[in-house]
Amino acid sequence: MDLSSLKPACGSTHHEKRIGRGQGSGKGGTSTRGHKGAKSRSGYHTKIGFEGGQMPLQRRVPKFGFKNINRVAYKAINVSMLQELAERDSLIAIDKDVLIKAGLISKNDLLKILGDGVLKAKLEVKADAFSEKAKAAIEAAGGSVVVL
C-alpha cells in the first residue's frame, strides 16, 4: 500500500456542479444566478458585515468601554510564590529565567512582584516592576530588589 493507491471513502465525495455549460446541462443561461441585480454580475462582492441594507449588527449593538493602546500588561507573581520556589529549589536569587523554567511566566511576559503572602527567605529578586508592599517584604527578609 502506498499514497498513490489511497481513495476517499465511497459516498464521501460529490461531483462538482458544472454551471454555464449550455442549456442541455440544465444549468445554462443564467448559470444559477437568477435574472438581473448585483448578485448576477461578475465581480460582485459585498462589504464585510453587509446585511442587505438592514442595519448591521456592529451598528445595532451599543458601544461602551475604552481600550488604552499604551497599557503595559504585567504577569503578577506574589512573594508567597517566591517563598515556595526558594524552599523547593533552595534558591538565593530569583529572576525571569527561574520563573520561566518553573512554568510560571513565558519568555515575553513583563514581570511584576506583588506583596501578598509571607517571605522568610533572603532573596535577590530581579523583575520589571515591584509593588511597595513587595519591596518592603523582600527587604525586611534581608533580600534585595533589582528593577530590570
Side-chain angles (χ1 to χ4, degrees):
M1 179 171 194
D2 61 350
L3 291 176
S4 65
S5 66
L6 294 176
K7 291 181 181 173
C10 186
S12 68
T13 59
H14 303 278
H15 292 293
E16 185 182 341
K17 185 198 292 185
R18 298 190 72 226
I19 56 177
R21 293 295 183 271
Q23 295 298 346
S25 69
K27 302 286 189 284
T30 57
S31 302
T32 73
R33 288 171 177 253
H35 296 281
K36 297 186 184 175
K39 287 185 180 179
S40 72
R41 317 290 187 202
S42 66
Y44 166 73
H45 178 72
T46 54
K47 290 181 180 175
I48 294 170
F50 183 68
E51 296 184 18
Q54 174 176 295
M55 187 62 67
L57 181 68
Q58 71 269 21
R59 291 186 63 196
R60 289 198 303 267
V61 175
K63 311 295 185 290
F64 62 92
F66 171 73
K67 239 341 173 209
N68 185 358
I69 60 167
N70 298 317
R71 180 177 181 270
V72 179
Y74 290 99
K75 182 73 177 186
I77 301 287
N78 283 305
V79 292
S80 59
M81 184 60 71
L82 299 182
Q83 178 65 32
E84 286 177 29
L85 275 173
E87 287 174 2
R88 189 184 73 194
D89 300 336
S90 62
L91 300 170
I92 55 168
I94 292 181
D95 59 356
K96 279 185 168 184
D97 294 331
V98 172
L99 295 171
I100 290 168
K101 285 177 186 164
L104 295 172
I105 63 172
S106 61
K107 66 177 185 173
N108 296 324
D109 286 337
L110 291 175
L111 175 63
K112 184 168 185 175
I113 307 297
L114 302 180
D116 191 33
V118 180
L119 182 68
K120 298 172 188 162
K122 181 180 175 182
L123 296 171
E124 180 190 3
V125 184
K126 295 178 182 176
D128 296 301
F130 293 86
S131 69
E132 291 298 318
K133 193 174 172 185
K135 262 186 193 175
I138 292 166
E139 288 168 355
S144 61
V145 168
V146 179
V147 178
L148 300 175

